[in-house]
């Protein structure tokens, strides 16, 4: 970067650079803010392979900017540490060997302080880079920059869920929030669910800026938008609640194989599942672990931390079923939910909120935020899907097998990260995300 | 069963009874015929959990008739042996506990001779029962009887593939066929594949007797027939050949992660896959294990014994993809393949035959028989799918997760068992079935 | 071998050859006799890695003679089958690669009939060879010949115990003996155990033909005879009975960690042990599986099929301990037990017999035969132990770690196979051998 | 404790109390000193089950004093935290349930700072308690107090080895010592080993204060002292060096099954062992990981971090063998080594030092400190061994199976912790301790 240009940069800096700089800073700060209540010790451990140490998240998101932007676009950039690429590459075969995923929790070094130094170093260079690149949103730089931010937001959600898991396995049941009171459980039940009818036919799903989707960014797995045929169907106007799910538990839902898929029933038996993850029965009362430690179960709040198997078994037990991905998106487009920050990461609630007793029965609630909603659709490529060349082609495509699509975002998703066309995906047995249930018929 | 009726039965036997009796006898004899070349020792072993001992297949299919027909419909029927229900129940939780699937190969008793006695006992009672039931095809009896026959045909296919696996793991590489020569490998390559175009739109898939499907029987998983939307697509007019797949092997297909799904690449590495199952390289020449023992690779024959991961990786490597289940069925209905017994179990070939050099380029070949064709569609319920009540409800529904649909039948499928709407399903890593590849675009 | 020599052989055959020929024939016949009650199917399975298929035992013992005698000493000998060395080598690294031990139960071929043909072929050639070799007992041939016979006798014991295990895992609980009645359980308790005192000091253990041990053969692990020092000790005059052990079971012995070694207690919990192997409680009555199927527990008979952990825990629970190997042998030499065939394999009882109610209290009973007696001594080399060169050096030496010594032989040991210096060895968790308990103080 | 007494205590405090107080303080400080170079993150991880997090060691040793002394002997004592007994009990079944050993590395809380607060709290109360108890060395208190100190010293050694392992698995290969230079590798080879002859006969092993052992303390497993008989034998006058072992490596020692015990050879193959733990070959040069990071191999220093299998295979390869426990102790008593602090923990070297080139050839070197010496003796009870009643009875006795005795202490052992009768014990496959080889014949 010639010095002359650099000296002139502030004056001539286009608005895009400024917007990018502040957006970058805000996203990065959000990540740091999530880790601030943690002790260094909390940032190291990995109780199960799905859960990464917070220290790793902090570094890996930084490595992403360093690898795909600074090394590509900032002339003369020198990496912060030669071995961090080995330590903090997640799964990119294109970028060489790396620490086994299962061994992330064995690494005490670099210490947290060094990881923060790494972040500061990369942030400083990113700000320099952002000051110099042009305004062209269609340039390759712009796409990868946006991807880096979205990627960091995905890891923010993982930080919330991984921290919860880490603290939950500790016999001390420590709270993440130590300076604010836990929400009080609802005094009244949730309003009864109603069924909303959706007429069938050919509709279009996938990312469609022309049809109202916010322009600017989507993941490759949301493309191409394409027609699908669905029959008439009905969807419940809210998520299934803890109270409703507790009836299933009490009715022996975890002791009767009939509503379960075969592989789900095997898990129930081999893992000893008796309730959703984090539920604990103490002296006849049900508690559950939250970011405030163990708290009473709020019967009016959406049930969460259920696997697909549990969601499907519950739906069968009620005589209903889970929606398909296409049904969910077509219904969501029809009911046009508003995006309420109270249901997202920014609320710092980290728990799906109960529906108010006076919620309008004719509207479709909790479609965005609250809980990821399991669909009975495999995470497979859309027609015409094509993965990017190079390492970023490994971002989504290679996972398109043996996972199910979840829709709508959760209380741990940044509000600016969600879209109606957004496709999240997990294996059917996973429970540590904020996953919930919406019934269809 | 009143004696009077019994005495009169032969004279007054309606045609349906007679048809059923001979059909029953023919299906049962086919199973026994498949096991005739085996020694008692061959019928006991279970080298991997997927492969059941032939003795078990012989008994389990018999148990099915005993449990669901004789015990339900033949008054005064006494089971052959009290413990056979425990030994030979496959996976029906509704019917109580059973031998662990992984332990089937530890059971030396009952010996093969007793299993044949069991078959004879049940066959004799089945013939008695068939002589007495009426002509009503819509009666519950008729449906379960038909299911029993279809079930036995499914196990005939498994016998062919399981026997192959059992013999293949033996260092002596014994042949199943000892009294007939092995087919000679093709002298010429297969005719070049051509692309057939299929126009998109809304079409109907699933079992449709009104639209030409043979009336009488389908599995519950083929229902309900329902509209689907597909875009225009192209399908190859034949299966991928050994010769074509060998190019992929030789080009390093098993050493480059790029065309592979993530879980597939992990298997390639952990299992050391270097070629399809049963392929062996000896002194630079490729052989493969068949029911005739080790034989040279026929380059013109369809490649088989590939997992979904290999099928998908191969398709990516060529720049194409696998078809979806809907595409396959809509194309199959359009191209209306004839059912050639030479490609099915009855041919006793047990190997997919090469396409003749003069096969018509404009037709779609090998759609039925030869190899099960992997689709990139999850084995999920069709809209409106409803499983049967009771134990038979466990037949299909509980497997609808983490498996992929395969279409068209194979060289080990009885010809009378296949339909255009038939949905077979296996996990993506399975290779011991006669699975093949048809490319789409 | 020239025909002329062969024709003359009977006349000029030296006594040693004749003795060897008949001894060889007798030992080989004993093996075949043990397998005669089995069906071909019984000879194939391997329910756990410790248990080998009877077909494998029949072939492996034959391979031993073929490899170490016929190939070495019979000019022009041609092996029966080129691949049998790969199939039937047990653990000799010196002799090349082999079937994994855990995979022995996956091999249906060669069938049992071929294995018997193999035995006949080798037997015929062995008889020819034996007719020609000289009388020199010190020659290398003589030592290996003797080793081959002793080796076959070891496998006779394994056949008895492996067959028992194979039949026991079958839900049909089939009996091995179908043509003879099971022994009736004792009407009276065993005579009370008494303590026999043995004065301490320096004594000699190990094989000592000069001191009364039958000359001719011992395993290398019994050498060199060497002095040991033991303190005064006491030994019980009989084995612990089922009745005594049942008190331990009923007193909660399997639910209290205190008498157990740490690794033993982990096994009790992880394996769910509640009693010795083969014990089954049905409606409040204790049965156990035998070669006659399920039979009532004989309270006067020695307890058997206990692991070292159970033997040690029982001993602690009574306030006693297990003897060391040196104590056992010094006591045995002092009490000079007679060798009663009723307690060995030849009795076809395959179960340790109860001590008669009038057994002399001052004598030491059941030292030979009945049950292998666990000692609290590691199976380590004796001072001066040196393994043989070549493949036979792998016979014993490489197992001298993590195993415990057992002494005295069992009801499945051929009577001619045992000695006071005989060292058997198993891992502390093994229970499928006829292992029992003698207390020391 | 009444205030009056407390005020008077210093004046009337008996010398024993004062001695105990300062000894307690010194031992406890040593533990803290070992952890001082660590970051909080280093104290959390558990890369393999054998290695405990340093934080856990700090807390567990404290829990020992709290549980066995403060709760028993200090009236009115209140535990620091109710759940610490669950978190920091190691293996005492008598004291209730506890965190699974394999899960110690998943616990981020309590943080390191809280663990130090726990130590300070217990230390303060221990000092109070020590001020009040009497002078009677034979009282139960005195024995348990001494055991607590010895126990803490054992964990000091584990801290040194566990920290080494933790840092070694980190791709950054961080050094524990950052403020002191690494020792320079020896310029000359070690003096050639000589054989020292020891005459056989009956000798006594075990703890014998009457025969010169320091009075005051031994573990129960060193009792009772008892006569043993050994034959004449020879022992090398120093430990095997890296240079000598490197010859074994270069000669293909890890590729030839012949010198290995069977279970050892399986480990070599399944674990891919090619050299001792921590050895790394880089561009033809051998390095090894130390507390100073990766350092060149010192050919004159004793080889360390070898399993029993490697020690035994090396000995066989040279035509020698390992000594038995009795041989080692009788020889050690004969050669009466002096205790040189340079070979122990206190040197802060944490690495066995090379023997000086001018070491006297006729003396027996490195018997104490340097490396634990593998013996070919099982860790079994001595005659007359009796474990203590209650929880402390679990200290040693329950481990007396499947482990081997090691003798002499290592460079990580506190000098005041070792005795000639000291019996250390590990499983034959363990390599993370400072284990070495001394040859016998």
């Amino acid at each position: 970067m010639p010095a002359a240009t650099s000296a002139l940069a502030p004056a001539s800096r286009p608005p895009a650079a400024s917007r990018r700089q502040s957006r970058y800073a805000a996203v990065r700060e959000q990540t740091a803010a999530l880790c601030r209540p943690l002790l260094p010790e909390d940032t190291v451990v990995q109780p199960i392979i799905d859960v990464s140490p917070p220290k790793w998240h902090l570094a890996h998101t930084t490595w992403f900017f360093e690898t795909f932007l600074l090394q590509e676009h900032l002339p003369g950039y020198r990496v912060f540490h030669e071995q961090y690429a080995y330590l903090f590459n997640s799964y990119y075969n294109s970028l060489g060997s790396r620490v086994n995923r299962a061994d992330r929790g064995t690494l005490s070094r670099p210490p947290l302080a060094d990881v923060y130094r790494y972040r500061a170093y990369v942030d400083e260079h990113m700000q320099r880079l952002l000051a110099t690149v042009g305004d062209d949103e269609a340039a390759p730089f712009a796409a990868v920059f946006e991807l880096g931010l979205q990627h960091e937001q995905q890891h923010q959600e993982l930080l919330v869920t991984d921290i919860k898991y880490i603290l939950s396995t500790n016999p001390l049941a420590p709270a993440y929030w130590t300076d604010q009171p836990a929400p009080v459980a609802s005094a009244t039940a949730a309003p009864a669910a109603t069924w909303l009818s959706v007429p069938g036919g050919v509709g279009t799903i996938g990312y469609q800026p022309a049809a109202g989707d916010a322009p600017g960014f989507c993941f490759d797995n949301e493309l191409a938008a394409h027609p699908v045929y669905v029959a008439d169907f009905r969807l419940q106007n809210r998520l299934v609640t803890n109270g409703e799910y507790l009836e299933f538990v009490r009715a022996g839902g975890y002791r009767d194989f009939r509503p379960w898929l075969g592989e789900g029933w095997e898990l129930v038996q081999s893992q000893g599942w008796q309730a959703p993850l984090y539920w604990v029965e103490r002296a006849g009362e049900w508690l559950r672990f939250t970011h405030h430690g163990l708290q009473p179960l709020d019967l009016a709040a959406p049930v969460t931390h259920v696997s697909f198997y549990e969601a499907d078994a519950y739906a069968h037990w009620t005589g209903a079923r889970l929606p398909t991905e296409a049904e969910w998106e077509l219904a969501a487009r029809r009911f046009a939910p508003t995006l309420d920050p109270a249901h997202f990461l920014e609320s710092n609630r980290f728990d799906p909120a109960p529906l108010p007793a006076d919620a309008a029965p004719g509207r479709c609630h909790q479609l965005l935020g609250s809980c990821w909603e399991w669909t009975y659709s495999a995470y497979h490529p859309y027609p015409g899907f094509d993965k990017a060349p190079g390492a970023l082609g490994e971002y989504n495509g290679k996972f398109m097998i043996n996972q199910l699509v979840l829709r709508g975002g959760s209380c741990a998703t940044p509000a600016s990260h969600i879209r109606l066309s957004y496709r999240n995906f997990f294996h059917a047995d996973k429970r540590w995300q904020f996953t919930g249930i919406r019934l269809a018929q």
Side-chain angles (χ1 to χ4, degrees), chain A:
Chain A
M1 189 171 58
T5 309
S6 184
L8 292 174
S12 66
R13 201 163 57 190
S18 170
R19 268 199 330 269
R20 278 183 185 138
Q21 286 182 316
S22 57
R23 181 125 177 279
Y24 176 84
V27 168
R28 297 282 286 172
E29 161 57 20
Q30 174 67 279
T31 306
L34 289 172
C35 293
R36 220 159 271 141
L38 301 178
L39 302 170
E41 291 90 334
D42 297 326
T43 70
V44 177
V45 300
Q46 180 181 34
I48 53 171
I49 193 171
D50 298 312
V51 165
S52 292
K55 191 157 66 82
W56 184 90
H57 286 296
L58 287 164
H60 165 69
T61 48
T62 305
W63 165 87
F64 193 97
F65 285 109
E66 182 175 65
T67 302
F68 294 111
L69 288 172
L70 293 177
Q71 292 197 267
E72 295 292 320
H73 297 281
L74 186 61
Y77 177 76
R78 298 181 57 176
V79 296
F80 180 74
H81 192 292
E82 294 255 322
Q83 287 197 264
Y84 280 17
Y86 179 79
L87 291 172
F88 301 123
N89 175 4
S90 53
Y91 55 68
Y92 297 87
N93 290 308
S94 307
L95 301 173
S97 62
R98 57 192 176 277
V99 169
N100 279 335
R101 184 172 178 184
D103 293 338
R104 290 178 187 164
T106 67
L107 302 181
S108 65
R109 308 287 179 95
L112 183 58
D114 282 10
V115 169
Y116 278 118
R117 273 191 280 276
Y118 180 35
R119 288 183 71 88
Y121 177 85
V122 165
D123 287 350
E124 182 197 328
H125 287 82
M126 276 298 296
Q127 291 294 356
R128 275 196 228 160
L129 173 59
L130 292 174
T132 64
V133 292
D135 206 5
D136 181 4
E137 290 291 342
F141 171 87
V144 179
F145 172 66
E146 186 61 37
L147 184 63
L149 296 175
Q150 299 283 345
H151 173 257
E152 180 121 6
Q153 289 186 311
Q154 291 181 308
H155 281 275
Q156 288 164 5
E157 173 146 9
L158 290 171
L159 273 166
V160 172
T161 55
D162 290 3
I163 290 169
K164 182 171 181 175
Y165 195 92
I166 287 167
L167 298 177
S168 79
T169 60
N170 196 304
L172 302 174
Y176 167 85
W177 294 118
T178 54
D179 55 356
Q180 49 168 268
V184 178
S186 307
T188 57
T194 59
W195 289 99
L196 304 175
S197 293
V198 183
V202 173
T204 299
I205 66 169
Y207 180 62
Q208 307 157 60
D213 287 354
F217 179 80
C218 74
F219 286 111
D220 56 0
N221 62 16
E222 301 167 52
L223 296 174
H226 60 285
V228 293
Y229 180 92
V230 299
D232 297 349
F233 65 98
R234 300 198 302 161
L235 208 62
Q236 280 204 347
N237 74 326
R238 62 158 172 76
L239 296 173
V240 171
T241 64
N242 285 321
E244 288 164 337
Y245 198 88
L246 183 58
E247 289 176 45
F248 173 64
V249 173
R250 289 190 167 142
Y254 286 80
R255 295 190 303 273
D256 178 0
F257 67 87
R258 286 176 301 175
W260 296 85
L261 286 163
E263 296 186 5
W265 181 241
E266 283 172 26
L267 277 171
V268 168
Q269 295 179 291
S270 66
Q271 305 293 312
W273 286 353
Q274 302 190 19
L277 182 63
Y278 299 135
W279 285 32
V280 183
E281 196 175 16
R282 293 251 173 101
E285 190 198 4
W286 283 97
L287 308 174
R288 73 212 173 90
F289 186 79
T290 72
H291 286 76
H292 292 278
L294 279 172
Q295 297 293 333
L297 197 60
D298 185 338
L299 299 180
V303 66
T304 187
H305 297 302
V306 288
S307 62
F308 171 81
Y309 295 117
E310 289 162 297
D312 180 68
Y314 175 79
H316 267 80
W317 181 73
T318 67
R321 62 175 175 84
L322 300 177
T324 64
E325 168 172 34
E327 288 172 338
W328 191 95
E329 184 169 338
L330 292 174
R333 290 189 181 280
R334 177 182 182 86
F335 296 120
T338 54
L339 199 146
D340 178 353
H343 297 152
F344 287 94
L345 174 79
E346 290 79 0
S347 72
N348 279 345
R349 182 186 171 93
F350 301 167
D351 214 23
L355 194 63
D358 59 352
R363 300 203 45 197
C364 196
H365 302 284
Q366 300 167 323
L367 276 168
L368 294 178
S370 291
C371 293
W372 286 105
E373 305 182 20
W374 284 109
T375 73
Y376 207 142
S377 291
Y379 178 56
H380 285 180
Y382 277 172
F385 167 77
D386 201 12
K387 61 181 186 182
L392 288 174
E394 298 185 58
Y395 200 99
N396 275 315
K398 75 180 182 184
F399 300 108
M400 290 180 169
I401 191 68
N402 292 335
Q403 309 210 41
L404 292 147
V405 172
L406 300 101
R407 292 301 200 102
S410 84
C411 56
T413 311
S416 63
H417 183 66
I418 200 67
R419 281 171 303 286
L420 292 184
S421 58
Y422 196 105
R423 307 176 80 196
N424 201 353
F425 48 93
F426 285 102
H427 290 95
D429 61 330
K430 299 307 179 202
R431 317 207 297 172
W432 96 111
Q433 294 299 303
F434 287 97
T435 44
I437 312 171
R438 184 183 301 274
L439 298 178
Q441 264 183 346

